[in-house]
Amino acid sequence: MDIFCKIINKEIPAEVVYEDKEILAFRDIHPVAPVHVLIIPKKHIESANELSDGDAQLIGKMVVLAKKIAQDLQISEKGYKLLIRTGKDGGQEVPHLHLHLIGGAELYEEIRPIN
Ligand code: 5GP
């Protein structure tokens, strides 16, 4: 079982900021900015590669929730970054789909032109 399924099952603790029957959001254990929240589906989906048409509403809900959490944590006005790493080249470490919500600092540098 992956580590995020264990967090969903309350087998390991996390600082939860939102929960409903489909989605869990909690603080990243190694934040890269003052606000770093991971938004995950409770249903096990390994990565964006495993998404199907039937998951469109769930993914939409995760993005809308990210906006609401950003508002609650007062980073909306200055802005934030939403990120889904996918697979090896994408740098995904945990094999359970997750949307990073990162903000509270200037985050200009992560993606750069290659030419
Ligand atoms: P990825 O690189 O897969 O996109 O991101 C995985 C994220 O999960 C990393 O930012 C990492 O810090 C976070 N993470 C890994 N294990 C745990 C954990 O046990 N608890 C929490 N809260 N975050 C974790």
Side-chain angles (χ1 to χ4, degrees):
M1 190 190 289
D2 73 81
I3 196 135
F4 290 173
C5 279
K6 288 183 180 168
I7 289 175
I8 291 164
N9 293 338
K10 314 289 183 204
E11 288 170 36
I12 61 170
E15 195 182 328
V16 171
V17 298
Y18 177 86
E19 180 166 16
D20 66 23
K21 66 180 190 339
E22 287 183 308
I23 296 175
L24 187 69
F26 53 94
R27 303 262 186 185
D28 196 293
I29 203 165
H30 298 304
V32 299
V35 171
H36 190 169
V37 172
L38 301 171
I39 299 165
I40 68 173
K42 287 190 171 176
K43 169 179 144 181
H44 181 77
I45 301 172
E46 186 164 325
S47 79
N49 274 336
E50 280 70 40
L51 285 169
S52 62
D53 289 345
D55 296 319
Q57 199 175 0
L58 177 63
I59 289 294
K61 212 178 140 182
M62 287 166 58
V63 175
V64 174
L65 176 63
K67 180 205 84 168
K68 289 179 184 164
I69 293 172
Q71 285 172 335
D72 288 348
L73 298 180
Q74 300 180 332
I75 57 169
S76 318
E77 209 169 301
K78 285 196 160 180
Y80 48 88
K81 190 176 283 187
L82 298 178
L83 173 69
I84 299 177
R85 295 194 176 104
T86 304
K88 182 174 165 293
D89 279 6
Q92 182 179 3
E93 287 176 4
V94 178
H96 186 123
L97 178 72
H98 47 284
L99 174 63
H100 294 256
L101 163 62
I102 305 166
E106 290 180 353
L107 302 163
Y108 304 149
E109 296 296 335
E110 191 179 327
I111 298 168
R112 299 177 191 209
I114 59 169
N115 59 5

